[in-house]
Amino acid sequence: MSKYCYNEACTKDFLNLENDVIFAKQAGFDLIEMRFDCINKYLEKHTINDLKTLLNNNKIEPSALNALYIYPEFLTDKKDPQRDDEIFCQLDLIKNLYKKAGINQCIVVAPLMSDESSCEIYKKPQITDSCVRILKYLSSSMPYIKWIFEPVGLSRSLVRDAEHANEIISAVNRSNVGLVLDSYNLYLKERKDNYSFSNIPSDKIFAIHMMNGKKVPDDEKIIDQRYRTFCEDGDAIDLFKFLNALEEINYKGMISTEIFNPDYQKLLSHKEIVFKAFNELQNIVSKFEKYMHYSFFNN
């Protein structure tokens, strides 16, 4: 059964989906999470059928699409028509990717505001209600897609932790709506790696993103994802704590790595980055499994 997953964010600035697929398979990945910007660039000269052939020929399976970005007023009388149009165009692409290439998962990122002060006008019940409404709409309008909700720990995010995200998907209560747990995004809110997922049913975790990060001074505000690192490069997170929290709820499933760090693409080639992503992800997971006598992947 499929195990390790490559996320195109690691090499997003190359905007080369074909090489991402080829190198990911060569490195040892079983799955690939494709970004919409990379897909759109590929489709300038190719078709979705070409994409399906590319994946099949390289024997690598598509995992979740990255990502659909929602905002609280989506589908309300206070909507932003331009943003709504962009979302609906994206939904049309998701529908076509499903019909023609069998891609049936998409990550939905919690609402991100322009800055921290913009979050202050929203109270938690209002945030919850808007996310539940939007996820129910997505679930009903495209029931063949697994919608994977992602909390983001940045201060400009409206859903910053796994607990709130779990409240939201529990309220949605649809079989095709679940969570992605991201080790760095969950670290960001408190800058702590004391993970606990005891209240989250393991079958509602549809994806795992695992990476480390650079530790920065406590008084430095982290405003974006630039400090993400591959699993063995960072010093911010004890990833055994993250894996242990997953093991405690008996999580079985894919594990991906997602990096937005531009420094890698200045120092390494496209292929070197993909291979580094696999080697460091596999090393951490393998060491943990050997120590704990536990496997995250069903055989």
Side-chain angles (χ1 to χ4, degrees):
M1 199 167 175
S2 296
K3 302 178 181 181
Y4 296 103
C5 182
Y6 181 70
N7 186 299
E8 281 195 286
C10 302
T11 44
K12 67 182 183 67
D13 292 342
F14 289 106
L15 273 180
N16 192 323
L17 187 151
E18 186 168 1
N19 276 349
D20 281 336
V21 169
I22 292 169
F23 295 152
K25 184 60 183 181
Q26 290 176 355
F29 287 104
D30 308 283
L31 301 165
I32 184 167
E33 291 178 309
M34 292 179 287
R35 286 174 55 92
F36 284 112
D37 53 357
C38 295
I39 292 172
N40 287 328
K41 182 67 175 178
Y42 179 83
L43 292 178
E44 289 178 4
K45 296 182 179 179
H46 301 84
T47 66
I48 294 176
N49 286 330
D50 292 334
L51 174 59
K52 181 180 179 180
T53 299
L54 174 67
L55 295 168
N56 288 342
N57 286 349
N58 285 278
K59 296 181 173 59
I60 191 166
E61 297 178 32
S63 187
L65 299 165
N66 281 253
L68 185 70
Y69 288 83
I70 59 174
Y71 71 104
E73 293 77 24
F74 178 54
L75 298 174
T76 71
D77 56 5
K78 296 180 180 179
K79 66 185 179 183
D80 178 332
Q82 182 176 347
R83 293 183 74 176
D84 275 22
D85 286 346
E86 291 171 355
I87 291 174
F88 282 119
C89 284
Q90 208 165 359
L91 292 176
D92 284 340
L93 177 57
I94 292 168
K95 185 183 297 184
N96 286 328
L97 288 166
Y98 170 76
K99 289 181 177 179
K100 298 178 181 180
I103 302 172
N104 65 350
Q105 301 176 65
C106 182
I107 287 174
V108 181
V109 178
L112 297 173
M113 311 309 289
S114 57
D115 53 49
E116 186 176 347
S117 62
S118 302
C119 298
E120 296 174 0
I121 64 172
Y122 299 96
K123 304 302 181 184
K124 184 177 178 181
Q126 182 184 5
I127 296 166
T128 299
D129 288 347
S130 68
C131 290
V132 169
R133 173 178 52 79
I134 294 168
L135 288 168
K136 281 185 174 181
Y137 168 79
L138 295 172
S139 171
S140 298
S141 63
M142 298 170 71
Y144 42 83
I145 300 294
K146 282 188 173 182
W147 301 100
I148 310 175
F149 188 60
E150 181 168 15
V152 177
L154 294 171
S155 61
R156 63 186 181 91
S157 170
L158 294 184
V159 182
R160 301 184 64 193
D161 55 58
E163 291 76 15
H164 189 188
N166 187 46
E167 290 176 24
I168 289 167
I169 66 157
S170 296
V172 174
N173 194 26
R174 301 281 176 84
S175 61
N176 65 329
V177 177
L179 291 177
V180 54
L181 300 179
D182 180 298
S183 60
Y184 190 70
N185 272 332
L186 298 181
Y187 160 83
L188 278 176
K189 183 181 178 183
E190 304 291 341
R191 298 203 197 179
K192 294 180 180 178
D193 56 8
N194 297 321
Y195 304 99
S196 176
F197 308 131
S198 57
N199 294 324
I200 304 175
S202 61
D203 63 354
K204 297 304 291 182
I205 302 173
F206 292 175
I208 293 297
H209 290 169
M210 191 171 77
M211 72 296 302
N212 214 314
K214 295 178 182 177
K215 200 165 188 177
V216 298
D218 292 341
D219 59 352
E220 179 179 342
K221 183 172 287 189
I222 299 178
I223 60 172
D224 55 30
Q225 303 280 3
R226 74 182 69 183
Y227 293 124
R228 285 178 177 240
T229 70
F230 289 119
C231 292
E232 296 182 318
D233 281 355
D235 57 359
I237 299 171
D238 180 349
L239 289 175
F240 269 30
K241 291 182 179 180
F242 182 69
L243 293 173
N244 187 66
L246 294 172
E247 185 268 337
E248 286 180 346
I249 60 170
N250 198 33
Y251 171 78
K252 303 281 186 180
M254 64 81 83
I255 299 179
S256 178
T257 194
E258 181 185 39
I259 310 298
F260 297 90
N261 189 329
D263 290 344
Y264 287 115
Q265 294 174 71
K266 297 174 184 175
L267 301 172
L268 301 171
S269 70
H270 192 158
K271 185 174 183 178
E272 287 171 335
I273 294 171
V274 180
F275 274 68
K276 182 177 180 66
F278 178 79
N279 291 335
E280 297 200 14
L281 179 63
Q282 185 191 49
N283 284 346
I284 291 291
V285 174
S286 297
K287 287 176 183 176
F288 180 86
E289 289 183 329
K290 184 177 180 180
Y291 180 75
M292 295 297 294
H293 307 289
Y294 179 86
S295 177
F296 290 100
F297 311 120
N298 294 316
N299 296 320

